[in-house]
Structure formats: C-alpha cells, structure tokens
C-alpha cells in the first residue's frame, strides 16, 4: 500500500510538474503573443512614420512648387513692367521726334518768313529804283525843255 501510495504521490508530483510546465509554457506563449503584438504595433508605428515622412516630403515639394509659381508670377509681372516701360520709352522717342519735326518746321517757317520779308524789301527797293529812274528821266526831260 505504501508503495502504491508512493507511486501515486510520485505521479501527482509529475502531474504537478507537468501542470507547472504547461503553465510556464502558457505564460511563454502569452509573452510571445504580447511580443508579437508589440512588434506589430512597432511595425504599424514605423509605417505611420514613413507615411508622415512621405507626407512631409509632399508638403515640401508643394511648398517648392508654390515658391516656383510665385517666382514665375513675379518674373511675369517684371516682364510686363519692362514691356510697359519699353512702350513708354517708344512713345517718348516718338514724341521727341515729333517735337524735333515741329521745331524744324517752325524754323523753316521762320526762314520762309524772313525770305518773304527780304523779297518784299527787294521789291520795294526795286520800285524805289524805278521811281528814281523815272524821276531822273523826268528831270532830264524838263532840263531839255
């Protein structure tokens, strides 16, 4: 009987050890499961970080594109201003040429006027000379008479 009891006790001890081993194995499996979940969370976090990084790069690209567009707009405005200035300069040059033509015309008119006065003076002088010549002839005729 004692021998059977001893075997029973041994069996119970072995069962107890098996239960403990199973319990430890269960705890190990739970730990592995938790570790696996942690790894999955870390993986998701890493993917989130990668997405955020890509988003940040996209935002930077958009910012650079926006700056490029602004620079192009400024360049376009500068070009428009230059074109307006060029047109203004052309108008001023045209005005300057017109003024020069008007001045030349005015000088020509003055010269013509002076010439006209000279011609009139010559005509008057010629008439005076004719008158004097006629007067001289008259005087001669009277003397002869």
């Amino acid at each position: 009987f004692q021998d059977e009891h001893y075997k029973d006790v041994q069996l119970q001890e072995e069962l107890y050890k098996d239960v403990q081993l199973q319990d430890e194995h269960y705890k190990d499996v739970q730990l592995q499961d938790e570790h696996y979940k942690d790894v999955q969370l870390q993986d998701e976090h890493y993917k989130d970080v990668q997405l955020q990084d890509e988003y940040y790069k996209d935002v930077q690209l958009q910012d650079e594109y926006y700056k490029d567009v602004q620079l192009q707009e400024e360049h376009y405005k500068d070009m428009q201003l230059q074109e307006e200035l060029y047109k203004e300069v052309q108008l001023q040059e045209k005005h300057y040429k017109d003024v020069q033509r008007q001045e030349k015309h005015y000088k020509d008119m003055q010269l013509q006027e002076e010439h006209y006065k000279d011609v009139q003076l010559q005509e008057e002088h010629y008439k005076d000379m004719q008158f004097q010549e006629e007067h001289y002839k008259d005087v001669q005729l009277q003397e002869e008479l």
Side-chain angles (χ1 to χ4, degrees):
F1 178 77
Q2 281 187 350
D3 193 41
E4 274 184 35
H5 178 70
Y6 178 75
K7 284 181 180 176
D8 281 348
V9 166
Q10 273 188 330
L11 271 176
Q12 283 181 0
E13 281 181 0
E14 284 178 19
L15 274 174
Y16 180 74
K17 286 179 183 176
D18 280 351
V19 166
Q20 278 186 325
L21 279 172
Q22 285 178 359
D23 191 48
E24 285 178 14
H25 177 72
Y26 178 77
K27 287 178 181 174
D28 284 349
V29 166
Q30 278 186 324
L31 279 172
Q32 286 177 359
D33 191 49
E34 287 177 15
H35 177 72
Y36 177 77
K37 288 177 180 173
D38 284 350
V39 167
Q40 279 184 322
L41 280 173
Q42 287 178 359
D43 191 52
E44 287 176 14
H45 178 71
Y46 178 75
K47 288 177 181 173
D48 285 349
V49 166
Q50 279 184 322
L51 280 172
Q52 287 176 358
D53 192 49
E54 287 176 17
Y55 175 77
Y56 178 75
K57 286 177 182 173
D58 285 350
V59 166
Q60 278 184 321
L61 281 173
Q62 286 177 1
D63 192 49
E64 288 175 17
Y65 176 76
Y66 178 74
K67 287 177 181 173
D68 284 349
V69 166
Q70 280 184 322
L71 281 173
Q72 287 176 359
E73 285 177 354
E74 287 175 16
H75 178 71
Y76 178 74
K77 287 177 183 175
D78 286 348
M79 292 301 289
Q80 279 184 323
L81 279 175
Q82 285 181 4
E83 191 175 326
E84 288 175 17
L85 281 173
Y86 178 75
K87 287 177 181 176
E88 224 173 276
V89 166
Q90 281 184 323
L91 281 173
Q92 288 176 358
E93 284 178 355
K94 186 180 180 294
H95 177 72
Y96 177 74
K97 287 177 182 175
D98 287 348
V99 166
Q100 280 184 323
R101 269 190 241 119
Q102 287 175 359
E103 284 178 351
K104 187 180 181 300
H105 179 72
Y106 178 74
K107 287 178 181 173
D108 287 348
M109 292 301 291
Q110 280 183 323
L111 282 172
Q112 285 180 8
E113 193 175 317
E114 287 175 14
H115 178 71
Y116 178 75
K117 287 179 181 175
D118 285 348
V119 167
Q120 279 184 327
L121 281 172
Q122 287 175 2
E123 284 178 351
E124 286 177 18
H125 179 70
Y126 178 74
K127 285 178 182 174
D128 284 349
M129 291 301 289
Q130 278 184 333
F131 180 75
Q132 284 180 10
E133 190 178 324
E134 286 176 15
H135 179 68
Y136 177 75
K137 286 179 182 176
D138 284 349
V139 167
Q140 275 186 337
L141 275 176
Q142 285 180 3
E143 284 178 358
E144 288 177 7
L145 287 173

